[in-house]
Amino acid sequence: MAIPIIPMVVATALFMENTDSTILATALPTIAADLRIDPISLKLAVTSYLVSLAVFIPASGWVADRVGARTTFRMALMVFMAASIGCAFSRSLGQFVVFRALQGAGGAMMVPVGRMVVIRAVPKNELVRALSFISMPALIGPMLGPPLGGLIVTYADWRWIFFVNLPIGVLGIALATLFIPDLREETPPLDLRGFLLSALGLGGVILGTAMVGRRIAPPETVAACILIGAISLAGYAVHALRVERPLLDLRLLRFATFEAGIVGGTFFRFGVGASAFLLPLMLQLGFGLDALRSGLITFSGAVGALAVKPLARVFLRRFGFRRLLIVNGLLASLVLMAYALFTAATPHGVLFIVLLCGGFLRSLQFTSLSALTYADLESRQIGAATAMASVAQQVSVSLGVATGAMVLEISELIAQHARPQTADFAAAFVVVGLVSLGSVVLLLRLPGTAGDEISGRIVPRAGEGTLVSRKPA
């Protein structure tokens, strides 16, 4: 009984976190109207959550090993639930941003610790099935989130998008108390200096960038925030190369496949993260759709992402990592820039199909980059690599949201629009699409045989121990 129950408990937390993020994107214009703020200002609510994830994820494993996995998991769920209540009762942008950051802290401890529990508690012969089980919420949540968010804000109060977390969280705490073991491990001391430098650096740069425009903060405050963040990140880089066990091990970037997965993935997610923020705003503010119709259109991207999962290995086996990542990355970036061609007159069926194709290409790129990231690493390096990959993902999405919003505001200012127009969104999609396209340039440096062993393009000869490349027909 314990084998399926533990993954189910973790899946509860994953479902809550993934659904919450996608519901919010659809509800942003409604929340902004109720709080009497500009919708673009809510970029701070999105980025504060992601920054909090990036800051606390690297320390989550250390905390769990020190105080116990079950205790950490339950505390994370309680923090996430308490922050959800805070978001629901927020009456200003500042309050909303603070509680979203607190939600991110809970999510940072909740999901990585849950995965760690599954890996340690489930027998190895059941691990693949267990990990597949807990990955389902990551696929289903983004698919249900947009229409559910649209339904809630169209027919009920927007605060219910946060209240729906409460029964799920209570169920997760109860199941965790009954079934999750309180696992602990001996751990080295936390790299406290590295934690402080990375937290100050990531928070300063990303939140400083997000505060540009909309008179959220004085220009000198924004500039000081970004400057302090940049100096702190430089300080962290020096620190990480000097200590034996840094919080984030930058030395892993010497592996070409890891560098391609992290840096290439950062550029690619930049555009995709921005589109998740910009698209619902364009459909509702630019095209005049209600939240429900907006959610029913944008969820098509999640459908496309789900459809590609069984096919990813087939594509990689046929084309190899380098060729697939370059061609698919090019196509995915072009589809992202094609969003700039959307107008209020574009048939909804066309919107649905283009977003479906974008979701398919995007998911194929993410899956391939994630696999390539670990291609040449030893098992002892996987934990540090996972922390690096998780932080890079949150940072790139955060910067994408901040930059997309900045371009949108600049376009508004130049055109002297009182509120965002379709042309302003078009400019933002082109810019973030070009940044996403930059990942293709970086991936050109990959050797043609990169990752061939894990893609299945290298197989043993019959009766021999050597490996040969499997060439496509």
Side-chain angles (χ1 to χ4, degrees), residues 93-332:
L93 177 62
Q95 292 176 5
F96 195 66
V97 168
V98 168
F99 285 116
R100 282 291 291 169
L102 188 60
Q103 264 193 320
M109 294 292 168
M110 185 168 62
V111 176
V113 171
R115 285 200 182 99
M116 182 189 73
V117 168
V118 171
I119 291 171
R120 290 181 179 175
V122 172
K124 287 188 176 181
N125 62 336
E126 294 285 346
L127 188 57
V128 172
R129 182 163 69 95
L131 291 175
S132 298
F133 187 87
I134 67 171
S135 70
M136 291 306 294
L139 302 174
I140 297 173
M143 191 162 59
L144 292 180
L148 180 59
L151 188 68
I152 289 173
V153 301
T154 301
Y155 296 105
D157 194 291
W158 64 265
R159 291 168 179 80
W160 281 99
I161 69 175
F162 295 104
F163 290 146
V164 296
N165 292 330
L166 303 185
I168 302 174
V170 170
L171 176 64
I173 291 172
L175 292 175
T177 302
L178 293 172
F179 298 107
I180 285 188
D182 207 25
L183 302 171
R184 298 169 189 258
E185 295 281 345
E186 289 294 326
T187 57
L190 178 67
D191 177 17
L192 185 58
R193 179 179 294 181
F195 176 78
L196 294 175
L197 284 172
S198 63
L200 192 59
L202 294 174
V205 170
I206 297 172
L207 291 179
T209 304
M211 286 191 293
V212 174
R214 297 291 169 188
R215 299 179 182 175
I216 295 173
E220 56 271 20
T221 301
V222 174
C225 192
I226 295 175
L227 180 61
I228 292 172
I231 293 172
S232 299
L233 286 179
Y236 177 79
V238 173
H239 165 78
L241 295 175
R242 288 178 175 174
V243 300
E244 183 181 355
R245 294 178 179 272
L247 186 74
L248 299 169
D249 193 354
L250 303 181
R251 288 179 287 254
L252 292 174
L253 292 171
R254 70 181 185 271
F255 294 96
T257 49
F258 184 78
E259 181 193 30
I262 295 295
V263 182
T266 296
F267 275 84
F268 186 74
R269 285 187 175 89
F270 188 99
V272 174
S275 69
F277 173 76
L278 293 171
L279 194 58
L281 293 180
M282 182 175 73
L283 293 175
Q284 295 178 54
L285 301 180
F287 297 177
L289 300 181
D290 60 34
L292 180 57
R293 284 187 291 172
S294 169
L296 289 173
I297 291 172
T298 56
F299 102 106
S300 59
V303 175
L306 182 62
V308 81
K309 292 301 180 183
L311 304 174
R313 184 168 178 81
V314 176
F315 283 119
L316 284 171
R317 190 181 183 93
R318 175 68 177 81
F319 299 108
F321 277 99
R322 185 179 186 275
R323 195 190 313 177
L324 177 66
L325 287 171
I326 290 171
V327 174
N328 189 74
L330 174 63
L331 292 175

Side-chain angles (χ1 to χ4, degrees), residues 16-37:
M16 182 169 66
E17 186 188 48
N18 282 278
T19 306
D20 178 85
S21 298
T22 51
I23 284 179
L24 178 66
T26 305
L28 287 178
T30 304
I31 296 172
D34 189 62
L35 297 180
R36 293 184 175 86
I37 58 177

